[in-house]
Amino acid sequence: MTTADLDSDVAEVLLSEERIQARVAELGAQISLDYAGHPLTLVSVLKGSLPFMADLMRSLSVPVRIDLMEVSSYGGATTESSGLVRILKDLSSSIEGEDVLIVEDIIDTGLTLNYLVRYLRGKRPASLRICTLLDKPARRLVEIDVEYTGFTIPDQFVVGYGLDYGELYRNLRYVGVLKPEVYANAG
Amino acid sequence: VTIERAPGEARERPAFAHASEAEMARILDFYDVRWEYEPTTFPILWNLEGDVVESFAPDFFLPDLGLYLELTTLKQRLVRKKNRKLRRLRELYPDIRVKLFYARDFRAIMLKYGKLALVDSLSGTLGQVTPEREPGEADTSGAVVAAPAADPPAPAASVGPPATSAAHSTTSPEEAIAAR
């Protein structure tokens, strides 16, 4: 399978590479302005936000420290055994007293982010804000204050630029709508 | 690292009317979101005698979020009645927040969590659990026979305002089924 095969599974390019890069640059400029003179810790939530994190951090002009977290998702391998979210990868160092920006790929229900925010607040950062590339408000269950949003998107299943279906499509350079037939018969 | 619930926080499982509700409860549990199952029945229609003739009991209340959540796995063309009840609920109780999760929403969530096969088995009426009918609780015509609200409106009004926003009533089994 090649990326051309992955491309053929995409019904529509929602956000082109150029559009994403332009918006990431805008976000970077705004965040740099807001945090001018303050070192910033970016916390990326694996795995989907990796490309966004990589591009965003390089667009910032303030000193940046990065950290990575990964939490289990409902329906994953750990669901049946524990029934609770598991933190698969915790922060590498303390964020106490630091200005922290959570970097997310997409917010839909807000359940994962709500959990993460509560968890990170417990680590007593000086401030905690959220930056997401994509926001899908139609699915929102938990209202969360999001400081920086790249794009508000319609209620469609999207892949690419870090977003996956079955762990594939993350390396597409754009965000596209997956053809329904790709997942129609999936279990 | 597993975030444990505080001792005593383990939840007893209510008798869910639909398997999709049980699945949603598991999702909420997974993300440590507190929920209550059908804690409130809102009267939404009264007859001339002031008796409640129609009510709406959202499936979940999420107390930390101040949000009621109603699920339906009926196909879109079959949810007209539920949409109407929801509109009525919002008219009468403008201060409450209620979100209706349609079949397509539930399907999208299950797709996200890789459980599409499960949602296919739950769609429509296949996931329904027919409630036991109490003797005399409801007739066979599907008419709603709800208990009066705690403080029903004046009998002269056919469509009266709610007596209190916290009024409780009993929903018939037929209504419980029809509303899903």
Side-chain angles (χ1 to χ4, degrees):
Chain A
M1 179 179 278
T2 66
T3 53
D5 297 319
L6 299 178
D7 286 332
S8 68
D9 288 340
V10 173
E12 169 196 357
V13 175
L14 196 61
L15 300 168
S16 68
E17 179 182 6
E18 293 76 19
R19 205 171 158 203
I20 293 170
Q21 293 305 325
R23 183 66 184 131
V24 171
E26 288 175 359
L27 288 172
Q30 183 63 53
I31 294 167
S32 297
L33 195 63
D34 293 348
Y35 286 89
H38 298 275
L40 180 61
T41 298
L42 302 179
V43 174
S44 176
V45 185
L46 296 171
K47 304 172 189 170
S49 61
L50 270 181
F52 180 41
M53 172 74 147
D55 288 340
L56 182 67
M57 63 184 282
R58 287 179 291 175
S59 73
L60 296 176
S61 58
V62 292
V64 166
R65 192 170 73 84
I66 67 167
D67 213 331
L68 305 171
M69 285 192 73
E70 185 175 12
V71 298
S72 62
S73 176
Y74 182 76
T78 58
T79 300
E80 302 306 324
S81 58
S82 70
L84 293 169
V85 173
R86 287 176 65 84
I87 294 179
L88 303 174
K89 157 88 178 67
D90 206 345
L91 297 173
S92 300
S93 53
S94 170
I95 58 169
E96 184 171 351
E98 298 194 9
D99 292 314
V100 174
L101 186 64
I102 300 174
V103 179
E104 266 282 24
D105 51 353
I106 185 168
I107 304 174
D108 50 10
T109 62
L111 287 168
T112 303
L113 194 54
N114 174 59
Y115 180 87
L116 266 177
V117 165
R118 285 187 291 152
Y119 179 76
L120 292 176
R121 277 192 184 135
K123 295 182 175 294
R124 295 183 292 181
S127 68
L128 184 64
R129 289 177 170 178
I130 297 163
C131 176
T132 184
L133 176 70
L134 306 176
D135 186 13
K136 197 190 284 188
R139 293 258 179 264
R140 189 78 86 254
L141 273 179
V142 183
E143 294 302 329
I144 296 176
D145 290 331
V146 179
E147 195 73 20
Y148 306 100
T149 300
F151 302 93
T152 299
I153 62 169
D155 189 12
Q156 294 171 303
F157 194 89
V158 292
V159 294
Y161 197 66
L163 292 139
D164 79 307
Y165 174 67
E167 290 296 330
L168 294 175
Y169 307 96
R170 293 191 196 277
N171 57 329
L172 297 180
R173 303 173 76 89
Y174 56 85
V175 172
V177 179
L178 195 61
K179 289 179 179 173
E181 55 263 38
V182 175
Y183 52 79
N185 299 315
Chain B
V1 180
T2 299
I3 307 301
E4 301 288 351
R5 287 198 185 88
E9 254 190 284
R11 291 163 184 147
E12 290 185 12
R13 292 278 152 182
F16 292 108
H18 194 282
S20 64
E21 296 166 3
E23 186 66 17
M24 179 55 78
R26 281 191 288 272
I27 293 171
L28 294 171
D29 278 347
F30 186 80
Y31 289 103
D32 200 25
V33 175
R34 292 195 303 143
W35 53 268
E36 299 167 14
Y37 183 64
E38 295 187 340
T40 310
T41 299
F42 295 95
I44 57 173
L45 192 64
W46 293 261
N47 65 15
L48 290 173
E49 284 71 47
D51 300 320
V52 176
V53 294
E54 193 169 20
S55 56
F56 189 22
D59 297 320
F60 293 95
F61 179 61
L62 314 181
D64 295 329
L65 309 177
L67 177 70
Y68 286 92
L69 181 61
E70 173 71 12
L71 302 181
T72 178
T73 55
L74 292 175
K75 294 192 183 305
Q76 202 62 28
R77 61 187 171 80
L78 299 176
V79 298
R80 187 177 302 160
K81 180 177 180 181
K82 184 163 285 194
N83 283 334
R84 181 185 60 76
K85 292 179 81 170
L86 191 63
R87 277 198 302 274
R88 181 91 184 122
L89 181 73
R90 285 173 170 153
E91 287 169 6
L92 291 171
Y93 307 89
D95 292 336
I96 74 162
R97 293 175 59 230
V98 56
K99 184 174 178 67
L100 178 58
F101 249 55
Y102 293 101
R104 61 169 186 255
D105 299 318
F106 191 70
R107 185 178 176 83
I109 285 186
M110 290 295 100
L111 171 62
K112 171 184 172 180
Y113 295 136
K115 303 186 90 172
L116 209 51
L118 172 65
V119 77
D120 285 340
S121 72
L122 300 182
S123 292
T125 57
L126 293 177
Q128 300 279 29
V129 178
T130 306
E132 293 291 330
R133 183 184 299 165
E134 295 295 328
E137 190 174 0
D139 64 25
T140 55
S141 67
V144 176
V145 184
D151 186 13
S158 59
V159 179
T164 70
S165 63
H168 286 57
S169 67
T170 304
T171 306
S172 74
E174 279 76 8
E175 187 183 33
I177 295 170
R180 296 182 195 291

mmCIF file of all heavy atoms in Angstrom, chain A residues 9-49:
data_model
loop_
_atom_site.group_PDB
_atom_site.id
_atom_site.type_symbol
_atom_site.label_atom_id
_atom_site.label_comp_id
_atom_site.label_asym_id
_atom_site.label_seq_id
_atom_site.Cartn_x
_atom_site.Cartn_y
_atom_site.Cartn_z
ATOM 1 N N ASP A 9 -8.730 6.671 -0.891
ATOM 2 C CA ASP A 9 -9.789 6.443 0.102
ATOM 3 C C ASP A 9 -10.421 7.750 0.584
ATOM 4 O O ASP A 9 -11.360 7.726 1.380
ATOM 5 C CB ASP A 9 -9.229 5.704 1.324
ATOM 6 C CG ASP A 9 -8.915 4.252 1.020
ATOM 7 O OD1 ASP A 9 -9.458 3.728 0.031
ATOM 8 O OD2 ASP A 9 -8.135 3.641 1.782
ATOM 9 N N VAL A 10 -9.864 8.849 0.140
ATOM 10 C CA VAL A 10 -10.350 10.159 0.606
ATOM 11 C C VAL A 10 -11.350 10.710 -0.402
ATOM 12 O O VAL A 10 -11.056 10.840 -1.593
ATOM 13 C CB VAL A 10 -9.166 11.132 0.787
ATOM 14 C CG1 VAL A 10 -9.657 12.535 1.097
ATOM 15 C CG2 VAL A 10 -8.249 10.618 1.893
ATOM 16 N N ALA A 11 -12.519 11.024 0.096
ATOM 17 C CA ALA A 11 -13.570 11.528 -0.785
ATOM 18 C C ALA A 11 -13.346 12.984 -1.155
ATOM 19 O O ALA A 11 -13.688 13.414 -2.257
ATOM 20 C CB ALA A 11 -14.935 11.369 -0.104
ATOM 21 N N GLU A 12 -12.767 13.728 -0.241
ATOM 22 C CA GLU A 12 -12.670 15.176 -0.451
ATOM 23 C C GLU A 12 -11.553 15.726 0.430
ATOM 24 O O GLU A 12 -11.427 15.327 1.590
ATOM 25 C CB GLU A 12 -14.012 15.811 -0.040
ATOM 26 C CG GLU A 12 -14.031 17.305 0.055
ATOM 27 C CD GLU A 12 -15.245 17.823 0.835
ATOM 28 O OE1 GLU A 12 -16.092 17.004 1.248
ATOM 29 O OE2 GLU A 12 -15.321 19.028 1.047
ATOM 30 N N VAL A 13 -10.751 16.606 -0.141
ATOM 31 C CA VAL A 13 -9.737 17.297 0.659
ATOM 32 C C VAL A 13 -10.425 18.467 1.361
ATOM 33 O O VAL A 13 -10.895 19.406 0.716
ATOM 34 C CB VAL A 13 -8.569 17.800 -0.212
ATOM 35 C CG1 VAL A 13 -7.611 18.626 0.638
ATOM 36 C CG2 VAL A 13 -7.847 16.626 -0.842
ATOM 37 N N LEU A 14 -10.482 18.368 2.669
ATOM 38 C CA LEU A 14 -11.166 19.419 3.435
ATOM 39 C C LEU A 14 -10.232 20.609 3.655
ATOM 40 O O LEU A 14 -10.650 21.765 3.536
ATOM 41 C CB LEU A 14 -11.626 18.845 4.779
ATOM 42 C CG LEU A 14 -12.654 19.621 5.564
ATOM 43 C CD1 LEU A 14 -13.952 19.765 4.779
ATOM 44 C CD2 LEU A 14 -12.930 18.935 6.902
ATOM 45 N N LEU A 15 -8.975 20.299 4.023
ATOM 46 C CA LEU A 15 -7.992 21.348 4.286
ATOM 47 C C LEU A 15 -6.699 20.976 3.576
ATOM 48 O O LEU A 15 -6.083 19.953 3.898
ATOM 49 C CB LEU A 15 -7.745 21.476 5.792
ATOM 50 C CG LEU A 15 -8.958 21.823 6.659
ATOM 51 C CD1 LEU A 15 -8.630 21.630 8.131
ATOM 52 C CD2 LEU A 15 -9.422 23.241 6.401
ATOM 53 N N SER A 16 -6.314 21.795 2.652
ATOM 54 C CA SER A 16 -5.087 21.510 1.903
ATOM 55 C C SER A 16 -3.864 21.747 2.787
ATOM 56 O O SER A 16 -3.937 22.434 3.815
ATOM 57 C CB SER A 16 -5.013 22.406 0.673
ATOM 58 O OG SER A 16 -4.830 23.757 1.079
ATOM 59 N N GLU A 17 -2.747 21.200 2.340
ATOM 60 C CA GLU A 17 -1.498 21.393 3.075
ATOM 61 C C GLU A 17 -1.182 22.884 3.210
ATOM 62 O O GLU A 17 -0.775 23.355 4.285
ATOM 63 C CB GLU A 17 -0.369 20.669 2.346
ATOM 64 C CG GLU A 17 0.984 20.830 3.017
ATOM 65 C CD GLU A 17 2.107 20.135 2.256
ATOM 66 O OE1 GLU A 17 1.846 19.619 1.150
ATOM 67 O OE2 GLU A 17 3.227 20.109 2.774
ATOM 68 N N GLU A 18 -1.386 23.619 2.134
ATOM 69 C CA GLU A 18 -1.073 25.055 2.156
ATOM 70 C C GLU A 18 -1.954 25.791 3.149
ATOM 71 O O GLU A 18 -1.501 26.675 3.888
ATOM 72 C CB GLU A 18 -1.273 25.653 0.748
ATOM 73 C CG GLU A 18 -0.299 25.143 -0.292
ATOM 74 C CD GLU A 18 -0.628 23.726 -0.772
ATOM 75 O OE1 GLU A 18 -1.779 23.274 -0.581
ATOM 76 O OE2 GLU A 18 0.268 23.052 -1.305
ATOM 77 N N ARG A 19 -3.208 25.422 3.168
ATOM 78 C CA ARG A 19 -4.140 26.096 4.074
ATOM 79 C C ARG A 19 -3.791 25.790 5.530
ATOM 80 O O ARG A 19 -3.859 26.649 6.407
ATOM 81 C CB ARG A 19 -5.566 25.631 3.758
ATOM 82 C CG ARG A 19 -6.600 26.648 4.164
ATOM 83 C CD ARG A 19 -7.971 26.282 3.652
ATOM 84 N NE ARG A 19 -8.969 26.960 4.481
ATOM 85 C CZ ARG A 19 -10.213 26.556 4.618
ATOM 86 N NH1 ARG A 19 -10.623 25.479 3.985
ATOM 87 N NH2 ARG A 19 -11.049 27.223 5.385
ATOM 88 N N ILE A 20 -3.430 24.543 5.783
ATOM 89 C CA ILE A 20 -3.056 24.158 7.147
ATOM 90 C C ILE A 20 -1.814 24.934 7.578
ATOM 91 O O ILE A 20 -1.772 25.510 8.682
ATOM 92 C CB ILE A 20 -2.793 22.636 7.223
ATOM 93 C CG1 ILE A 20 -4.085 21.860 7.004
ATOM 94 C CG2 ILE A 20 -2.182 22.280 8.584
ATOM 95 C CD1 ILE A 20 -3.868 20.360 6.828
ATOM 96 N N GLN A 21 -0.819 24.968 6.707
ATOM 97 C CA GLN A 21 0.430 25.640 7.078
ATOM 98 C C GLN A 21 0.207 27.128 7.330
ATOM 99 O O GLN A 21 0.794 27.706 8.257
ATOM 100 C CB GLN A 21 1.479 25.424 5.983
ATOM 101 C CG GLN A 21 1.938 23.970 5.852
ATOM 102 C CD GLN A 21 2.452 23.394 7.163
ATOM 103 O OE1 GLN A 21 3.071 24.083 7.962
ATOM 104 N NE2 GLN A 21 2.154 22.112 7.417
ATOM 105 N N ALA A 22 -0.634 27.739 6.529
ATOM 106 C CA ALA A 22 -0.909 29.162 6.714
ATOM 107 C C ALA A 22 -1.593 29.419 8.061
ATOM 108 O O ALA A 22 -1.265 30.369 8.784
ATOM 109 C CB ALA A 22 -1.797 29.673 5.574
ATOM 110 N N ARG A 23 -2.516 28.537 8.383
ATOM 111 C CA ARG A 23 -3.252 28.721 9.646
ATOM 112 C C ARG A 23 -2.350 28.434 10.850
ATOM 113 O O ARG A 23 -2.444 29.123 11.881
ATOM 114 C CB ARG A 23 -4.481 27.805 9.669
ATOM 115 C CG ARG A 23 -5.353 27.975 10.889
ATOM 116 C CD ARG A 23 -6.004 29.352 10.925
ATOM 117 N NE ARG A 23 -6.779 29.538 12.155
ATOM 118 C CZ ARG A 23 -6.683 30.606 12.946
ATOM 119 N NH1 ARG A 23 -5.861 31.599 12.632
ATOM 120 N NH2 ARG A 23 -7.409 30.702 14.032
ATOM 121 N N VAL A 24 -1.514 27.426 10.722
ATOM 122 C CA VAL A 24 -0.588 27.113 11.818
ATOM 123 C C VAL A 24 0.346 28.308 12.064
ATOM 124 O O VAL A 24 0.627 28.663 13.213
ATOM 125 C CB VAL A 24 0.220 25.833 11.507
ATOM 126 C CG1 VAL A 24 1.332 25.634 12.538
ATOM 127 C CG2 VAL A 24 -0.692 24.615 11.498
ATOM 128 N N ALA A 25 0.776 28.944 10.993
ATOM 129 C CA ALA A 25 1.640 30.127 11.139
ATOM 130 C C ALA A 25 0.893 31.252 11.869
ATOM 131 O O ALA A 25 1.465 31.945 12.724
ATOM 132 C CB ALA A 25 2.111 30.589 9.771
ATOM 133 N N GLU A 26 -0.380 31.406 11.535
ATOM 134 C CA GLU A 26 -1.186 32.438 12.207
ATOM 135 C C GLU A 26 -1.323 32.120 13.696
ATOM 136 O O GLU A 26 -1.199 33.002 14.548
ATOM 137 C CB GLU A 26 -2.578 32.516 11.577
ATOM 138 C CG GLU A 26 -2.601 33.133 10.194
ATOM 139 C CD GLU A 26 -3.987 33.071 9.554
ATOM 140 O OE1 GLU A 26 -4.919 32.526 10.186
ATOM 141 O OE2 GLU A 26 -4.125 33.540 8.420
ATOM 142 N N LEU A 27 -1.606 30.861 13.975
ATOM 143 C CA LEU A 27 -1.730 30.462 15.381
ATOM 144 C C LEU A 27 -0.419 30.694 16.121
ATOM 145 O O LEU A 27 -0.406 31.190 17.259
ATOM 146 C CB LEU A 27 -2.133 28.984 15.477
ATOM 147 C CG LEU A 27 -3.567 28.623 15.094
ATOM 148 C CD1 LEU A 27 -3.748 27.101 15.045
ATOM 149 C CD2 LEU A 27 -4.567 29.225 16.084
ATOM 150 N N GLY A 28 0.671 30.332 15.468
ATOM 151 C CA GLY A 28 1.978 30.509 16.095
ATOM 152 C C GLY A 28 2.259 31.963 16.416
ATOM 153 O O GLY A 28 2.774 32.295 17.495
ATOM 154 N N ALA A 29 1.888 32.837 15.486
ATOM 155 C CA ALA A 29 2.117 34.268 15.707
ATOM 156 C C ALA A 29 1.268 34.777 16.875
ATOM 157 O O ALA A 29 1.746 35.555 17.718
ATOM 158 C CB ALA A 29 1.780 35.029 14.429
ATOM 159 N N GLN A 30 0.034 34.327 16.915
ATOM 160 C CA GLN A 30 -0.858 34.776 17.992
ATOM 161 C C GLN A 30 -0.382 34.264 19.353
ATOM 162 O O GLN A 30 -0.355 35.014 20.347
ATOM 163 C CB GLN A 30 -2.284 34.286 17.724
ATOM 164 C CG GLN A 30 -3.307 34.757 18.748
ATOM 165 C CD GLN A 30 -3.455 36.268 18.752
ATOM 166 O OE1 GLN A 30 -3.682 36.871 17.710
ATOM 167 N NE2 GLN A 30 -3.279 36.889 19.923
ATOM 168 N N ILE A 31 -0.012 32.996 19.395
ATOM 169 C CA ILE A 31 0.454 32.414 20.659
ATOM 170 C C ILE A 31 1.753 33.092 21.108
ATOM 171 O O ILE A 31 1.933 33.391 22.295
ATOM 172 C CB ILE A 31 0.645 30.885 20.500
ATOM 173 C CG1 ILE A 31 -0.716 30.215 20.265
ATOM 174 C CG2 ILE A 31 1.321 30.278 21.732
ATOM 175 C CD1 ILE A 31 -0.621 28.768 19.797
ATOM 176 N N SER A 32 2.627 33.370 20.169
ATOM 177 C CA SER A 32 3.890 34.042 20.507
ATOM 178 C C SER A 32 3.623 35.422 21.098
ATOM 179 O O SER A 32 4.304 35.857 22.038
ATOM 180 C CB SER A 32 4.762 34.177 19.259
ATOM 181 O OG SER A 32 5.106 32.906 18.768
ATOM 182 N N LEU A 33 2.613 36.081 20.543
ATOM 183 C CA LEU A 33 2.248 37.410 21.051
ATOM 184 C C LEU A 33 1.687 37.293 22.468
ATOM 185 O O LEU A 33 2.057 38.048 23.378
ATOM 186 C CB LEU A 33 1.202 38.021 20.111
ATOM 187 C CG LEU A 33 0.917 39.509 20.216
ATOM 188 C CD1 LEU A 33 2.160 40.319 19.867
ATOM 189 C CD2 LEU A 33 -0.230 39.894 19.275
ATOM 190 N N ASP A 34 0.794 36.335 22.648
ATOM 191 C CA ASP A 34 0.123 36.191 23.949
ATOM 192 C C ASP A 34 1.093 35.769 25.057
ATOM 193 O O ASP A 34 0.879 36.105 26.223
ATOM 194 C CB ASP A 34 -1.008 35.157 23.840
ATOM 195 C CG ASP A 34 -2.139 35.637 22.950
ATOM 196 O OD1 ASP A 34 -2.152 36.844 22.610
ATOM 197 O OD2 ASP A 34 -2.992 34.815 22.575
ATOM 198 N N TYR A 35 2.101 35.013 24.688
ATOM 199 C CA TYR A 35 3.030 34.506 25.713
ATOM 200 C C TYR A 35 4.386 35.225 25.647
ATOM 201 O O TYR A 35 5.369 34.708 26.170
ATOM 202 C CB TYR A 35 3.238 32.999 25.533
ATOM 203 C CG TYR A 35 2.045 32.165 25.971
ATOM 204 C CD1 TYR A 35 1.027 31.862 25.083
ATOM 205 C CD2 TYR A 35 1.940 31.703 27.285
ATOM 206 C CE1 TYR A 35 -0.076 31.114 25.477
ATOM 207 C CE2 TYR A 35 0.848 30.951 27.691
ATOM 208 C CZ TYR A 35 -0.148 30.655 26.776
ATOM 209 O OH TYR A 35 -1.232 29.917 27.184
ATOM 210 N N ALA A 36 4.413 36.372 25.018
ATOM 211 C CA ALA A 36 5.679 37.098 24.878
ATOM 212 C C ALA A 36 6.342 37.285 26.236
ATOM 213 O O ALA A 36 5.703 37.739 27.195
ATOM 214 C CB ALA A 36 5.432 38.460 24.226
ATOM 215 N N GLY A 37 7.591 36.896 26.317
ATOM 216 C CA GLY A 37 8.338 37.054 27.563
ATOM 217 C C GLY A 37 8.129 35.942 28.560
ATOM 218 O O GLY A 37 8.679 35.971 29.665
ATOM 219 N N HIS A 38 7.304 34.956 28.164
ATOM 220 C CA HIS A 38 7.028 33.847 29.086
ATOM 221 C C HIS A 38 7.388 32.520 28.421
ATOM 222 O O HIS A 38 6.845 32.212 27.354
ATOM 223 C CB HIS A 38 5.546 33.823 29.476
ATOM 224 C CG HIS A 38 5.089 35.036 30.204
ATOM 225 N ND1 HIS A 38 5.230 35.193 31.553
ATOM 226 C CD2 HIS A 38 4.517 36.183 29.752
ATOM 227 C CE1 HIS A 38 4.744 36.369 31.914
ATOM 228 N NE2 HIS A 38 4.303 37.003 30.838
ATOM 229 N N PRO A 39 8.248 31.757 29.029
ATOM 230 C CA PRO A 39 8.514 30.418 28.488
ATOM 231 C C PRO A 39 7.231 29.591 28.512
ATOM 232 O O PRO A 39 6.406 29.741 29.425
ATOM 233 C CB PRO A 39 9.553 29.827 29.452
ATOM 234 C CG PRO A 39 10.098 30.986 30.198
ATOM 235 C CD PRO A 39 9.020 32.017 30.250
ATOM 236 N N LEU A 40 7.080 28.763 27.517
ATOM 237 C CA LEU A 40 5.828 28.024 27.358
ATOM 238 C C LEU A 40 6.116 26.528 27.269
ATOM 239 O O LEU A 40 7.066 26.109 26.616
ATOM 240 C CB LEU A 40 5.124 28.495 26.081
ATOM 241 C CG LEU A 40 3.793 27.866 25.702
ATOM 242 C CD1 LEU A 40 2.743 28.109 26.780
ATOM 243 C CD2 LEU A 40 3.315 28.436 24.362
ATOM 244 N N THR A 41 5.281 25.745 27.935
ATOM 245 C CA THR A 41 5.372 24.291 27.821
ATOM 246 C C THR A 41 4.222 23.790 26.967
ATOM 247 O O THR A 41 3.046 24.007 27.305
ATOM 248 C CB THR A 41 5.316 23.620 29.208
ATOM 249 O OG1 THR A 41 6.436 24.053 29.979
ATOM 250 C CG2 THR A 41 5.353 22.102 29.074
ATOM 251 N N LEU A 42 4.553 23.155 25.868
ATOM 252 C CA LEU A 42 3.533 22.549 25.012
ATOM 253 C C LEU A 42 3.379 21.087 25.400
ATOM 254 O O LEU A 42 4.366 20.356 25.472
ATOM 255 C CB LEU A 42 3.942 22.634 23.536
ATOM 256 C CG LEU A 42 4.219 24.020 22.947
ATOM 257 C CD1 LEU A 42 4.642 23.884 21.473
ATOM 258 C CD2 LEU A 42 2.998 24.909 23.052
ATOM 259 N N VAL A 43 2.153 20.690 25.645
ATOM 260 C CA VAL A 43 1.879 19.279 25.945
ATOM 261 C C VAL A 43 1.065 18.714 24.796
ATOM 262 O O VAL A 43 -0.086 19.110 24.583
ATOM 263 C CB VAL A 43 1.125 19.112 27.283
ATOM 264 C CG1 VAL A 43 0.723 17.647 27.477
ATOM 265 C CG2 VAL A 43 1.990 19.580 28.443
ATOM 266 N N SER A 44 1.657 17.818 24.070
ATOM 267 C CA SER A 44 0.993 17.214 22.921
ATOM 268 C C SER A 44 0.370 15.882 23.323
ATOM 269 O O SER A 44 0.931 15.126 24.110
ATOM 270 C CB SER A 44 2.016 16.986 21.809
ATOM 271 O OG SER A 44 1.414 16.330 20.723
ATOM 272 N N VAL A 45 -0.795 15.635 22.775
ATOM 273 C CA VAL A 45 -1.503 14.395 23.088
ATOM 274 C C VAL A 45 -1.318 13.431 21.920
ATOM 275 O O VAL A 45 -1.808 13.669 20.814
ATOM 276 C CB VAL A 45 -2.994 14.665 23.341
ATOM 277 C CG1 VAL A 45 -3.691 13.384 23.793
ATOM 278 C CG2 VAL A 45 -3.178 15.770 24.376
ATOM 279 N N LEU A 46 -0.575 12.389 22.190
ATOM 280 C CA LEU A 46 -0.296 11.401 21.151
ATOM 281 C C LEU A 46 -1.563 10.651 20.755
ATOM 282 O O LEU A 46 -2.452 10.507 21.569
ATOM 283 C CB LEU A 46 0.750 10.397 21.675
ATOM 284 C CG LEU A 46 2.137 10.998 21.978
ATOM 285 C CD1 LEU A 46 3.007 9.963 22.687
ATOM 286 C CD2 LEU A 46 2.802 11.476 20.708
ATOM 287 N N LYS A 47 -1.634 10.139 19.535
ATOM 288 C CA LYS A 47 -0.609 10.278 18.540
ATOM 289 C C LYS A 47 -0.982 11.345 17.506
ATOM 290 O O LYS A 47 -0.141 11.841 16.765
ATOM 291 C CB LYS A 47 -0.420 8.936 17.804
ATOM 292 C CG LYS A 47 -0.117 7.764 18.696
ATOM 293 C CD LYS A 47 -0.138 6.482 17.871
ATOM 294 C CE LYS A 47 -0.048 5.287 18.792
ATOM 295 N NZ LYS A 47 -0.314 4.020 18.058
ATOM 296 N N GLY A 48 -2.273 11.652 17.462
ATOM 297 C CA GLY A 48 -2.793 12.450 16.347
ATOM 298 C C GLY A 48 -2.238 13.847 16.234
ATOM 299 O O GLY A 48 -2.202 14.421 15.140
ATOM 300 N N SER A 49 -1.796 14.418 17.342
ATOM 301 C CA SER A 49 -1.392 15.825 17.291
ATOM 302 C C SER A 49 0.084 16.012 16.950
ATOM 303 O O SER A 49 0.569 17.152 16.922
ATOM 304 C CB SER A 49 -1.707 16.502 18.629
ATOM 305 O OG SER A 49 -0.996 15.886 19.666
#
